[in-house]
Amino acid sequence: MGEQLRSGAGLSILIVQYKLNDQNFMSAVKTSSIAGNAVQLSSHQFVERFAVALETDGFPRIAGRVFALLMISEFELSLDEIADAVGASKASVSVNTRLLETKGLIERISRTGDRRDYYQTTRDPFAHTMEQRIAKWDRVRAVIGEGLEDGTLSAPARARLREFDASSQVCHDVLEATLLKLRARGKQ
């Protein structure tokens, strides 16, 4: 891609692709059966920036686009609508919606009299992702605990493990307290 950017022709192609994707995104949302969802011109940039941000957590960029689109949509969207809006194939969107479903970020719903599946974000995806992070952290801490029981480790190595464990416990407690507050706020 760097070589493409250095050449004028490659840059022109990228600009044209971006403009076409932007037009596809906007026209798909505007002409979808739920056109009243108030997606504005800057929404394309939001979707792209959100997708790039989720890539740092290991998500494919398409999954980030799908999740971001559903976050800003007022209504559930079909696979066709999502694919048109994010400029991806229906197969790719299908794979990535399944990934997002398994992560608990989106859910599949149906409409009476319609055989298609529709997708929307779950009720509280932020809290769900924090729960998953805490669970991952707990698994790491369990391994640290096993390491602390290993009598063959040197004193400095055991000290590093104890420090890691203590710091992790502090962070774990803060996140758990925050989740409790979020859950309480959601019940109000």
Side-chain angles (χ1 to χ4, degrees), residues 24-41:
N24 288 344
F25 176 81
M26 293 310 299
S27 66
V29 172
K30 287 178 183 173
T31 61
S32 73
S33 61
I34 47 95
N37 67 1
V39 175
Q40 299 185 9
L41 186 58

Side-chain angles (χ1 to χ4, degrees), residues 70-184:
L70 292 173
M71 288 284 287
I72 62 173
S73 178
E74 293 182 24
F75 301 95
E76 63 276 357
L77 298 173
S78 71
L79 281 178
D80 291 323
E81 291 169 325
I82 295 168
D84 287 344
V86 300
S89 71
K90 188 174 176 182
S92 178
V93 168
S94 178
V95 166
N96 284 282
T97 54
R98 281 196 304 274
L99 170 68
L100 292 167
E101 269 187 289
T102 61
K103 298 288 186 184
L105 298 174
I106 67 171
E107 59 190 2
R108 185 184 336 195
I109 60 170
S110 61
R111 291 182 183 167
T112 305
D114 192 342
R115 295 183 343 186
R116 293 182 295 175
D117 290 326
Y118 291 85
Y119 297 87
Q120 64 186 14
T121 58
T122 55
R123 186 168 184 273
D124 194 353
F126 180 79
H128 189 75
T129 59
M130 289 300 102
E131 290 166 353
Q132 288 179 335
R133 288 174 193 264
I134 289 170
K136 285 180 188 178
W137 214 332
D138 287 345
R139 288 190 293 273
V140 170
R141 289 190 64 233
V143 174
I144 295 292
E146 292 170 11
L148 286 169
E149 294 174 7
D150 183 352
T152 64
L153 292 178
S154 68
R158 293 173 60 75
R160 284 191 300 271
L161 291 178
R162 276 194 297 279
E163 179 58 32
F164 184 93
D165 189 51
S167 297
S168 294
Q169 184 61 50
V170 170
C171 291
H172 180 277
D173 293 346
V174 168
L175 287 175
E176 280 290 340
T178 302
L179 276 173
L180 287 173
K181 287 180 184 178
L182 288 173
R183 288 182 193 119

Side-chain angles (χ1 to χ4, degrees), residues 13-33:
I13 291 170
L14 289 174
I15 291 170
V16 169
Q17 285 175 332
Y18 178 81
K19 287 295 184 189
L20 287 174
N21 285 342
D22 190 44
Q23 289 171 356
N24 288 344
F25 176 81
M26 293 310 299
S27 66
V29 172
K30 287 178 183 173
T31 61
S32 73
S33 61

Side-chain angles (χ1 to χ4, degrees), residues 36-63:
N37 67 1
V39 175
Q40 299 185 9
L41 186 58
S42 64
S43 296
H44 178 71
Q45 287 89 5
F46 168 78
V47 167
E48 274 306 305
R49 291 183 70 185
F50 198 90
V52 170
L54 279 185
E55 270 186 318
T56 63
D57 268 350
F59 283 90
R61 190 171 293 187
I62 295 296

